[in-house]
Amino acid sequence: GIDGWDSFSQVGIVNLNVHVRNIVSSTYSMKDVDRCEEIEQALLSLVEEHRTGDYWLQTDGAAQVTPDGDNWHVVSIRIKYRYNRIN
């Protein structure tokens, strides 16, 4: 919200969801563990390496991997943010 005449701040949570296709053959469908782990690490790096003066980011718990239908899994991460703007 507005903190005064010359500043503004906001806090919240952003949910990032990345859908990862399973390894599929004619007889089975299974989670692509390597790809899910690679995406999880990329998302964590995005948060940890973020550098800008107006935003503060932090993960809100561990990343989660859940099934999504027959041939997909979803890598989800919650990111807490604080936006501060001082004019």
Side-chain angles (χ1 to χ4, degrees):
I2 297 175
D3 296 329
W5 290 107
D6 294 321
S7 66
F8 177 84
S9 68
Q10 182 178 22
V11 296
I13 294 182
V14 174
N15 244 355
L16 279 175
N17 299 312
V18 178
H19 295 258
V20 180
R21 185 157 176 81
N22 286 355
I23 298 170
V24 178
S25 79
S26 60
T27 57
Y28 66 87
S29 175
M30 62 184 245
K31 177 171 72 171
D32 189 339
V33 175
D34 292 339
R35 185 70 176 141
C36 288
E37 288 176 357
E38 179 181 340
I39 289 170
E40 180 180 342
Q41 287 304 311
L43 293 174
L44 291 173
S45 291
L46 175 76
V47 172
E48 292 169 359
E49 296 173 11
H50 177 265
R51 301 287 182 263
T52 183
D54 295 339
Y55 283 93
W56 169 84
L57 302 177
Q58 180 181 17
T59 57
D60 185 27
Q64 303 291 318
V65 179
T66 56
D68 183 31
D70 292 336
N71 295 317
W72 296 87
H73 276 74
V74 178
V75 178
S76 300
I77 189 169
R78 288 172 47 100
I79 301 170
K80 294 189 290 189
Y81 73 89
R82 175 181 296 275
Y83 174 75
N84 291 310
R85 182 67 182 203
I86 299 172
N87 296 328

